[in-house]
Amino acid sequence: MPTLSRHSSPAPRPEPHRHREVAESFGVDPQRYDRARPRYPDALVTRIIATSPGRDVLDIGCGTGIEARQFQEAGCTVLGIDPDDRMAAFARSTGVEVETGTFEAWDPAGRTFDAVVAGQAWHWVDPVTGPAKAAQVLRPGGRIAVFGHAFDAPAEVTRALAAAYAKIAPDSPFTHAAAGAKSALETYREMFAAAAAGIRRADRFDEPEHWRFDWEQSYTRDQWLDHLPTTGPLTRLAPDQLAVVLDSVGAAIDEIGGGFTMPYTTLAATATLTG
């Protein structure tokens, strides 16, 4: 899920699943999204498969197919669902089978799966309908696993981003959110605690578990500037506004040596279907 690094919420609150204009803005440049967004830890994919009854996977909000391809590489059969035709078309071009629509409105047509997964996407799903429908399409002992990356860029980079965004969009909800001091990890812990609570309320799963995977990825200046336009606050900016942000952030990266190593934490809320 995109953030304004350590100074913002991942999406306007409350009820992020109702902000469809944000949820469906990531397809503006699917090639960039697929190129710049990081993969998920192999240990996460392996653990989901090992704790599921089989290898048929339903990927909710599959986007360009980043995690879908990882599950395919691990020997799974994957069906993706995404509401954005542009993202779905790109995923299909990489060999992922995708049906277009929201998970809430999607017709499973009697199909069932061993695992239902969602990478950086579960917050866009209705917190009541989503877990109930996941239970409907899972086989006995099937697993739901929703996950995402938390990350905080270096302080100098974060300050440059927040200042530039406040300059070009002072009335944006993201600008106001930047006044908060929560780290991305704190925000994501709250988000995945809410996801676990929704799974628990469905009363169809065993007690949800929280998984955590820590890892790092190095970025050059150009690589990070390639990544930034794929994040929620920036996907809907006009080209001239985006240029202001990227120039400011690029200058900040130059000042710290032209690159940095990003510590990532991938969090998951997961549970097994009972009965």
Side-chain angles (χ1 to χ4, degrees):
M1 169 184 289
T3 68
L4 258 180
S5 200
R6 76 175 282 112
H7 293 289
S8 74
S9 300
R13 300 271 184 171
E15 298 183 314
H17 68 282
R18 297 187 185 278
H19 293 270
R20 300 312 309 174
E21 73 281 4
V22 180
E24 297 175 22
S25 69
F26 301 101
V28 64
D29 189 347
Q31 291 82 7
R32 181 197 294 267
Y33 187 100
D34 196 75
R35 177 179 67 242
R37 285 296 186 103
R39 286 164 54 101
Y40 294 90
D42 290 337
L44 168 65
V45 174
T46 298
R47 190 171 180 183
I48 291 171
I49 295 171
T51 56
S52 300
R55 296 192 173 219
D56 289 336
V57 176
L58 179 67
D59 184 6
I60 300 168
C62 69
T64 60
I66 294 172
E67 69 266 14
R69 295 193 300 272
Q70 289 185 253
F71 279 97
Q72 287 179 329
E73 291 164 6
C76 294
T77 299
V78 182
L79 173 63
I81 305 170
D82 201 273
D84 192 315
D85 288 326
R86 300 163 298 182
M87 299 289 258
F90 185 95
R92 291 187 192 106
S93 75
T94 70
V96 178
E97 182 182 355
V98 185
E99 296 180 7
T100 306
T102 64
F103 180 52
E104 296 91 331
W106 172 70
D107 180 8
R111 291 168 290 182
T112 57
F113 303 85
D114 298 301
V116 169
V117 304
Q120 304 286 137
W122 191 249
H123 51 290
W124 303 124
V125 176
D126 185 282
V128 175
T129 304
K133 193 157 189 177
Q136 173 190 346
V137 301
L138 278 170
R139 294 168 185 158
R143 176 167 295 277
I144 181 173
V146 302
F147 43 86
H149 304 307
F151 57 91
D152 285 315
E156 299 90 342
V157 177
T158 295
R159 285 195 295 267
L161 172 60
Y165 198 90
K167 179 180 179 181
I168 55 97
D171 297 324
S172 167
F174 293 102
T175 297
H176 298 307
K182 284 184 181 179
S183 69
L185 184 55
E186 289 174 309
T187 298
Y188 271 59
R189 281 174 174 160
E190 293 176 2
M191 182 175 71
F192 282 95
I199 293 169
R200 189 180 296 113
R201 284 194 301 269
D203 200 27
R204 295 290 309 280
F205 297 91
D206 63 8
E207 179 59 21
E209 302 174 19
H210 292 275
W211 297 349
R212 173 173 174 160
F213 303 85
D214 295 302
W215 51 286
E216 295 181 342
Q217 182 162 317
S218 294
Y219 288 94
T220 65
R221 178 188 193 274
D222 289 346
Q223 287 171 336
W224 189 243
L225 297 187
D226 198 31
H227 176 276
L228 273 183
T230 73
T231 62
L234 275 64
T235 53
R236 295 179 296 154
L237 292 183
D240 59 332
Q241 293 177 312
L242 180 60
V244 170
V245 174
L246 296 184
D247 286 347
S248 178
V249 173
I253 296 174
D254 288 339
E255 290 179 2
I256 62 172
F260 58 89
T261 297
M262 178 79 78
Y264 276 94
T265 297
T266 301
L267 299 178
T270 180
T272 301
L273 186 70
T274 57

